[in-house]
Amino acid sequence: MSVAGPAGRGRPMRRGRGLLDRQAIVAAALAVARTEGLPAVTMRRIAEELGCGPMSLYRHVADRDALVLEMLDVVAAGIDIPPPSPDPREELTGLLTAVHSALAVDHWAVLPLIAEGKSSPLILPVLDRALAALTSSGLTGRSRLAVHQMLWQYVFGELLWTHHDQPDSQGKRMVRAAPADAFPVVADAVRSAGGHPAENFPDNLQRLLDGVLAPR
């Protein structure tokens, strides 16, 4: 695994279970985040995973925020970005789907991206291509930026919704128990529901692009 960014300070040290350097620290943090979520990623926990003391980590990463940024670099570097397409719909579909696929694996990354405003500079080529596609579709100025933001809001919002979707949540029990005589449309929707919400991402993305790319 390659980690973007400047090289860590100091010489790698042999501690506990293996070589202690920035790459090992970020790899351990990613493993914890992928299995237990980002809140479980603490300097103490990562030190335990690596068999060293927490202070040893600070030779290589400044603090937890810096570690999270390193983790986001790895996620961004792992996005399977498709070749450019001159067709705006194909270009946007490919870019947004690629990011969605990466974040579906590293779903822990969604909250720091949207709630904390963190990001990786490695995502800038994707943003530039998405904006270029919107430009070629005829959007300019504030409209172009507003549509660009709306598309990413859909990607992130869908990931939050599907990741936290629980088959027997309190909200779902409430909806299923809604009396059909009082809420007939809700009851009909419950009857017709099927599959996991994540399955709807491709079709809903196209519905969104139908409106975004409609002739003006």
Side-chain angles (χ1 to χ4, degrees), residues 82-95:
S85 170
D87 178 68
R89 178 184 289 269
E90 184 176 332
E91 176 79 337
L92 290 167
T93 297
L95 293 171

Side-chain angles (χ1 to χ4, degrees), residues 169-198:
S169 66
Q170 182 273 332
K172 287 193 173 183
R173 292 195 301 272
M174 176 193 72
V175 170
R176 289 197 300 266
D181 55 344
F183 306 100
V185 182
V186 170
D188 182 65
V190 169
R191 286 193 297 269
S192 62
H196 193 276

Side-chain angles (χ1 to χ4, degrees), residues 53 59 130 155 189 194 213:
R59 294 174 180 259
V155 173
L213 302 177

